[in-house]
Amino acid sequence: MMYLLVYLLIINLVSSIIMYRDKQKAIKQEWRTPESTLWFIAVVGGALGIWISMRKFRHKTKHISFTLGIPFMIILQVVLLFYILQRMS
């Protein structure tokens, strides 16, 4: 269980860093992180970090797929986490 929590902490920190860097690149009009990469990170457990970064850095907040999809992904991941924790005990 401890490994799962450490993984979730790390993947969400990574997702926040990637969102921050993407926002900085957007400001400078440089090459950006593909949305598919952001979605992949969200799917593998980084949705909460992406959502927090969306709010904190005001990034991707006008994209309906992110404003609706990321919160939905968080709900799915919380349900899955509770299921896993319940099965482990």
Side-chain angles (χ1 to χ4, degrees), residues 17-34 59:
I17 291 167
I18 290 172
M19 284 289 282
Y20 174 77
R21 290 181 65 213
D22 190 53
K23 175 65 176 187
Q24 296 306 307
K25 289 179 179 186
I27 291 169
K28 296 175 185 177
Q29 296 183 350
E30 294 177 354
W31 177 85
R32 306 274 306 279
T33 304
H59 189 48

Side-chain angles (χ1 to χ4, degrees), residues 2-5 17 24 26-28 34-36 42-45 52 56 65 69 74 78 80-81 87:
M2 184 60 134
Y3 292 118
L4 177 60
L5 297 177
I17 291 167
Q24 296 306 307
I27 291 169
K28 296 175 185 177
E35 287 188 2
S36 60
V43 167
V44 298
I52 290 170
K56 184 173 182 172
S65 64
I74 293 170
V78 167
L80 180 61
L81 179 62
R87 298 286 292 186

Side-chain angles (χ1 to χ4, degrees), residues 4 8 71-87:
L4 177 60
L8 290 173
F72 180 71
M73 185 69 58
I74 293 170
I75 292 168
L76 288 177
Q77 290 176 358
V78 167
V79 169
L80 180 61
L81 179 62
F82 279 118
Y83 177 77
I84 290 169
L85 293 176
Q86 184 179 17
R87 298 286 292 186

Side-chain angles (χ1 to χ4, degrees), residues 58-77:
R58 288 185 226 128
H59 189 48
K60 300 287 185 190
T61 56
K62 293 182 180 178
H63 293 79
I64 297 294
S65 64
F66 279 85
T67 58
L68 297 178
I70 295 298
F72 180 71
M73 185 69 58
I74 293 170
I75 292 168
L76 288 177
Q77 290 176 358

